[in-house]
Amino acid sequence: MMLLPDLPPPVEGIRHLQRDTQAFMNQRELGSGTLYIAESRVSWAKDGVNEGFSLQYPHIAIHAISRDVSSFAHPCLYLMVDAKLDSSAANALNDGDSDSDGEDDESAMTEVRFVPSDHVSLEPMYKALNDCQLLHPDPEDQQSDENVGEDDDDEDEGEYEVSENGYHMPSSSEDNLEGDSPFSCLTEADSCMHHSSL
């Protein structure tokens, strides 16, 4: 679950706290509140009421600073979440407004924007979010990286190519010796002397 409407704001591991920050879910304004960027999650709490939401880092597909006012009226910290968030939570935060803003019910992505009253704060907000998201790598990405590395090791082991002009080129840059440029090459004679000395 990536939208946690009843979870209180974090109290530990807070990397950035930004008061007077408007929150938007897709194009729906949720009000002004306090943004908490913590190591465990991103939370926003609406001012004056016990309402807000939290997002878990593995579900934040994209985060960026957006200053393009042609697509959105304010510079903001932009997040794209990889699932459709609970619209009922957004409706409750928006005083029960039931207008769907033309959202497609089958959409699997939700745009979340945080607009601080002080736009200079966008840079430290982004940096804190970026640092915290690095603490939560995607397990699927890690598995695919490990598989790619294993395949490369199996394929490259002991393979060398000698071109027609006599230059020795390793089959991949991973076969280069430490300090060698991936574009460096040796003559065939130098290559043989080099390997015989190993």
Side-chain angles (χ1 to χ4, degrees), residues 69-89:
V69 294
S70 65
S71 62
F72 186 71
H74 312 282
C76 63
L77 180 63
Y78 173 86
L79 282 65
M80 182 176 284
V81 180
D82 66 0
K84 184 169 182 176
L85 298 182
D86 184 2
S87 60
S88 63

Side-chain angles (χ1 to χ4, degrees), residues 11-142:
V11 293
E12 295 181 357
I14 297 174
R15 296 284 186 101
H16 189 90
L17 186 147
Q18 189 68 40
R19 300 186 192 282
D20 299 322
T21 301
Q22 290 179 292
F24 294 80
M25 196 171 291
N26 291 324
Q27 296 297 322
R28 182 186 306 279
E29 182 180 355
L30 304 181
S32 182
T34 301
L35 174 67
Y36 301 82
I37 301 174
E39 294 173 359
S40 57
R41 62 190 183 275
V42 176
S43 295
W44 178 83
K46 189 171 182 178
D47 289 339
V49 291
N50 189 22
E51 295 175 349
F53 62 90
S54 293
L55 302 170
Q56 296 176 335
Y57 286 106
H59 296 285
I60 300 174
I62 296 173
H63 62 279
I65 293 174
S66 174
R67 294 189 171 94
D68 181 7
V69 294
S70 65
S71 62
F72 186 71
H74 312 282
C76 63
L77 180 63
Y78 173 86
L79 282 65
M80 182 176 284
V81 180
D82 66 0
K84 184 169 182 176
L85 298 182
D86 184 2
S87 60
S88 63
N91 287 340
L93 289 170
N94 200 37
D95 298 327
D97 182 3
S98 60
D99 183 13
S100 66
D101 291 338
E103 292 175 325
D104 182 2
D105 289 339
E106 297 180 4
S107 172
M109 298 298 239
T110 302
E111 295 177 320
V112 177
R113 294 175 174 92
F114 296 110
V115 180
S117 58
D118 175 13
H119 294 164
V120 176
S121 300
L122 287 171
E123 292 287 346
M125 288 166 60
Y126 172 81
K127 183 181 185 317
L129 181 60
N130 193 59
D131 291 346
C132 290
Q133 188 152 33
L134 291 174
L135 300 174
H136 301 269
D138 187 341
E140 291 180 9
D141 288 345
Q142 287 182 323

